[in-house]
Amino acid sequence: MLEVEGLAAGYLGERVIDGIDLEVRTGEAVAIVGSNGAGKTTLFRTIAGLLPAMSGRVVLDGKELTRRPAHRISRAGVAYVPAERHLFPAMTLKSNLVLGAYPRRPDPATLELVYDLFPRLHERQRQQAGTLSGGEQQMLAVGRALMARPRLLMLDEPTTGLAPIIAQTAFAALEGLKKEGMTLLIAEQQVPLALSVADRGYVLENGRIRLSGSAEELERNPEVQRAYLGVV
Amino acid sequence: MTAVVLDGIVLGLAFGLLGVGMTLVYGLGGVLNLAYGQIVVLAAIVASIVMDDGRATLLAAVLGVLAAAGVGVLLDLTLMRPVYRERGEERTLLGLLLTLGAAFVIGGVLTWRYPDGALYINITGDPVSVLGVPMTRGSIWASVIALAVAALLLLFFGATTFGRGVRSVIQDEVGARLVGINPSFVRTVIFALSGALAGIVAISTAMVGPLTVNAGFELTTFALIVTVVGGLGSVAGAFLAGVLLGVVQSLSAHYIGQYITTIILLGAAALTILIRPRGLLGR
């Protein structure tokens, strides 16, 4: 579904990521793991169109997305949930969700699906987004992304700022989404959590793909175990 | 006293519209349009030319508003492009400089070509009694127009998909892009709307008294003050602040003197920044 070929991007002429090749197939959950500063966010921002690619291509279902503006990529079916969430703080939770469907009217069935996935959001739908807790904001960010009924959902560090128990719940929700057939691309520093939900994974180091393989292969890989899984 | 307050409200409603036009553009990307008063004057001059040509007042008003909206779009598509490519302080400074330049160009050309230019729309009819005070038909019409436009604006921003989209860009531009909103298109539409509001202010104030070709900078000053007091990007706040400041202006002009009113209004703005920097209804 998503094909990334030789992608390079960065800031002020410096390449933060370079030569990235990756693929996400329909219905798959793919994890991008790596330490802080490895380039995960840069990669996601480039795919989402918030940062221009310096070279390489991004293709979704055979459609070239490279260097298209972010709003066009969003409308093409790629929903990106950044770690900072970028909600609309002075609007109600419900308005945030409604805007997720922009420019279409919100689909009632999708809204129901979001509320089923996160019953908490239903309880608080009249509350201003800026007053929600970190976990609720994360749920809202995912919910808003789902309202567009995306082909691909990209989540950058979905557990940022969440207590461990809430992070587990968040990943349980992602598991549920995957069962519904959603295609997921997840960047996560908490590698065990990421590999628990993913089918396949890529290890990003210093802006390049270091390793790739199925989740089981990566979990068994000694390098991964040493660097990310705390196995000595 | 009642009469002075009522006059202040009539004036304040026009201030409110001015403030909305200014605050929306500011909210959408941090640009204070210092040419705003000159766009009001441009609308007034266009309308006065059409009226001098012997055409109907309504046609003159519509053409004035359209001309102002057109100038708004033109500004956005030309001068504002490099401004929005910058970020942060550079954007603010470049925006101030370029719109100030536009103010001098528009104001200069208009005073050079039409040194005695002025718009006055005389609405005949007996005064109407409001709370025992006889108000001219012009004042009544000006207020009705301003209130109707305010109601439409609140409806637009509160209940339409595009209006919500505009608010989302004001609150978080990256978030807006991620849900599929094109901020650049939103800005162009809002520049057009802001221009149209400037045109409406020109028409409505000309129903109360003559609007002369050199009123530009005074109008910009009022709009700036209303923006500061009302709060960034808040339509309701701009109207509230406009009415409040209109009453203050009217009272101080009546009891102290015309010369002091702008100073008092600027004082109110300074006080707002000190006490409540977000403005009355700002976030």
Side-chain angles (χ1 to χ4, degrees):
Chain A
M1 168 190 284
L2 179 80
E3 285 155 72
V4 174
E5 285 171 24
L7 196 65
Y11 305 87
L12 303 169
E14 290 280 327
R15 290 179 176 220
V16 176
I17 53 166
D18 203 355
I20 302 280
D21 295 304
L22 67 89
E23 183 194 9
V24 182
R25 294 183 214 115
T26 307
E28 224 181 11
V30 173
I32 309 285
V33 300
S35 55
N36 208 354
K40 300 189 297 291
T41 299
T42 304
L43 170 63
F44 274 27
R45 284 175 58 87
T46 312
I47 296 173
L50 291 174
L51 194 66
M54 290 170 173
S55 61
R57 311 187 329 132
V58 177
V59 179
L60 181 80
D61 294 325
K63 230 183 330 173
E64 175 95 35
L65 295 186
T66 329
R67 276 177 284 275
R68 283 221 218 157
H71 67 274
R72 298 268 305 276
I73 291 177
S74 161
R75 290 189 194 187
V78 177
Y80 169 43
V81 181
E84 314 83 38
R85 293 154 194 154
H86 290 286
L87 298 170
F88 309 122
M91 288 190 212
T92 62
L93 191 158
K94 177 85 182 284
S95 288
N96 271 270
L97 289 178
V98 168
L99 272 165
Y102 192 93
R104 285 169 297 156
R105 302 200 137 273
D107 170 38
T110 313
L111 191 62
E112 205 164 308
L113 186 138
V114 169
Y115 284 151
D116 280 347
L117 194 64
F118 304 116
R120 203 50 180 272
L121 295 184
H122 189 246
E123 289 164 29
R124 313 224 156 186
Q125 51 176 325
R126 286 176 201 287
Q127 201 172 321
Q128 293 229 317
T131 65
L132 298 170
S133 75
E136 290 161 350
Q137 291 198 11
Q138 184 61 40
M139 291 178 208
L140 178 54
V142 174
R144 186 181 70 178
L146 289 175
M147 288 303 291
R149 295 206 275 168
R151 310 263 299 118
L152 170 71
L153 181 62
M154 295 186 0
L155 300 144
D156 190 6
E157 304 281 351
T159 59
T160 301
L162 301 186
I165 181 84
I166 301 177
Q168 301 248 331
T169 325
F171 265 87
L174 294 183
E175 192 89 50
L177 271 178
K178 193 186 150 198
K179 286 211 181 76
E180 301 263 345
M182 179 62 69
T183 309
L184 297 167
L185 184 60
I186 306 164
E188 184 57 68
Q189 276 189 71
Q190 301 200 34
V191 178
L193 212 51
L195 292 181
S196 72
V197 70
D199 301 302
R200 290 190 303 116
Y202 294 86
V203 178
L204 199 61
E205 263 179 33
N206 296 322
R208 289 177 175 275
I209 303 279
R210 177 73 194 280
L211 281 169
S212 65
S214 73
E216 295 80 33
E217 279 166 17
L218 289 180
E219 270 170 344
R220 277 190 266 112
N221 183 298
E223 273 182 68
V224 174
Q225 289 187 340
R226 229 189 344 268
Y228 304 106
L229 299 176
V231 180
V232 194
Chain B
M1 176 78 181
T2 321
V4 178
V5 171
L6 284 178
D7 280 344
I9 291 173
V10 173
L11 181 74
L13 287 168
F15 279 4
L17 287 183
L18 269 181
V20 171
M22 182 75 108
T23 206
L24 282 176
V25 168
Y26 182 53
L28 279 176
V31 171
L32 284 170
N33 181 3
L34 295 183
Y36 202 50
Q38 276 72 20
I39 299 179
V40 176
V41 170
L42 179 114
I45 299 299
V46 168
S48 77
I49 292 168
V50 178
M51 279 173 73
D52 288 348
D53 205 33
R55 305 303 177 93
T57 309
L58 185 63
L59 179 71
V62 169
L63 290 178
V65 171
L66 285 179
V71 171
V73 171
L74 200 67
L75 273 182
D76 177 63
L77 295 181
T78 56
L79 275 190
M80 289 300 126
R81 291 291 128 158
V83 173
Y84 286 121
R85 268 199 290 277
E86 301 294 330
R87 297 260 171 262
E89 217 166 90
E90 281 82 17
R91 182 191 278 190
T92 309
L93 282 175
L94 193 61
L96 287 175
L97 286 175
L98 289 182
T99 57
L100 187 62
F104 278 113
V105 171
I106 299 171
V109 168
L110 289 176
T111 31
W112 167 51
R113 298 291 299 172
Y114 308 98
D116 304 315
L119 178 67
Y120 178 57
I121 299 173
N122 186 17
I123 294 178
T124 51
D126 294 330
V128 179
S129 174
V130 178
L131 301 173
V133 178
M135 303 291 288
T136 64
R137 297 268 169 149
S139 296
I140 301 287
W141 268 105
S143 308
V144 169
I145 291 171
L147 286 172
V149 171
L152 283 176
L153 284 172
L154 289 176
L155 202 68
F156 170 68
F157 286 108
T160 68
T161 306
F162 189 78
R164 269 210 197 90
V166 175
R167 277 163 52 216
S168 77
V169 178
I170 292 175
Q171 292 184 22
D172 194 313
E173 191 172 327
V174 172
R177 292 167 71 192
L178 291 178
V179 299
I181 295 166
N182 179 358
S184 157
F185 176 69
V186 166
R187 277 190 203 109
T188 306
V189 173
I190 290 304
F191 260 92
L193 176 68
S194 166
L197 288 174
I200 293 168
V201 170
I203 304 303
S204 75
T205 48
M207 291 174 170
V208 182
L211 180 62
T212 58
V213 73
N214 49 20
F217 278 111
E218 194 185 16
L219 289 165
T220 304
T221 309
F222 288 155
L224 280 174
I225 294 171
V226 173
T227 300
V228 167
V229 176
L232 162 87
S234 165
V235 173
F239 264 100
L240 190 63
V243 173
L244 217 64
L245 293 171
V247 173
V248 169
Q249 143 109 359
S250 187
L251 286 172
S252 59
H254 189 260
Y255 291 104
I256 307 172
Q258 189 71 48
Y259 62 94
I260 203 94
T261 56
T262 311
I263 296 170
I264 289 182
L265 290 184
L266 282 170
L271 210 65
T272 310
I273 291 177
L274 288 174
I275 297 171
R276 197 178 155 79
R278 294 171 296 149
L280 292 177
L281 299 183
R283 282 181 284 121

